[in-house]
Amino acid sequence: MDEETRPISPSIRRHKQQMIWQILLPFAGMALLLIAAAVLVTGAGAGKVALWRDVSLIWLLAPALFLALFLLVILGLVIYALARLKQAAPRFTARAQELTLLGAQGIRRVADGSTLPFIRVRQVGAGIRSIFRRHRR
């Protein structure tokens, strides 16, 4: 069976009806409303067109201006915070450097203390080996 002779299933028929009522009809209705609004605006005269143009421009620009203002305030707050951080940073970084040096010294002390027994055992072993080497000669 080719496509022309095959019967249309109920689901496809329902899909086509839904597409007409839920997509095409609302789209066509909005297009007609926009065309009607354009006809009303242009039919009112040249002075009214300029007024509606200006009102439309305000409505189009207002959200962008509010967003720009919001972003400008955030940028100003970030700049202020970074300036304050720049003033306070030397004090805190100096203290952090001191703590890092203290930590490094403590770690070095612990590392030296943990290796000391092994070093002592090797020293004693080396001393004993050197005693026996002298007597072998």
Side-chain angles (χ1 to χ4, degrees), residues 125 128-137:
I128 291 173
R129 277 192 300 270
S130 69
I131 290 174
F132 286 120
R133 282 187 194 155
R134 287 184 191 166
H135 288 331
R136 285 186 188 173
R137 290 185 189 169

Side-chain angles (χ1 to χ4, degrees), residues 2-14:
D2 56 24
E3 299 223 3
E4 294 176 14
T5 60
R6 187 180 324 160
I8 298 175
S9 70
S11 62
I12 293 177
R13 197 175 315 119
R14 190 170 50 247

Side-chain angles (χ1 to χ4, degrees), residues 29-135:
M30 285 305 296
L32 287 175
L33 283 175
L34 286 175
I35 291 171
V39 168
L40 285 175
V41 168
T42 56
K48 293 281 187 175
V49 172
L51 175 69
W52 282 107
R53 180 196 61 213
D54 295 341
V55 169
S56 299
L57 189 61
I58 290 170
W59 278 105
L60 288 172
L61 289 177
L65 291 175
F66 283 124
L67 179 65
L69 179 65
F70 177 71
L71 292 176
L72 186 65
V73 168
I74 289 178
L75 179 65
L77 290 174
V78 167
I79 290 171
Y80 176 74
L82 286 175
R84 294 290 305 254
L85 182 65
K86 183 182 173 191
Q87 290 174 353
R91 184 173 15 144
F92 291 114
T93 54
R95 181 66 181 146
Q97 190 174 12
E98 290 172 9
L99 292 174
T100 304
L101 289 175
L102 284 175
Q105 290 172 353
I107 290 171
R108 188 174 294 118
R109 199 174 314 118
V110 169
D112 289 346
S114 66
T115 58
L116 191 61
F118 298 104
I119 293 173
R120 296 274 188 226
V121 167
R122 288 203 174 213
Q123 283 178 344
V124 169
I128 291 173
R129 277 192 300 270
S130 69
I131 290 174
F132 286 120
R133 282 187 194 155
R134 287 184 191 166
H135 288 331

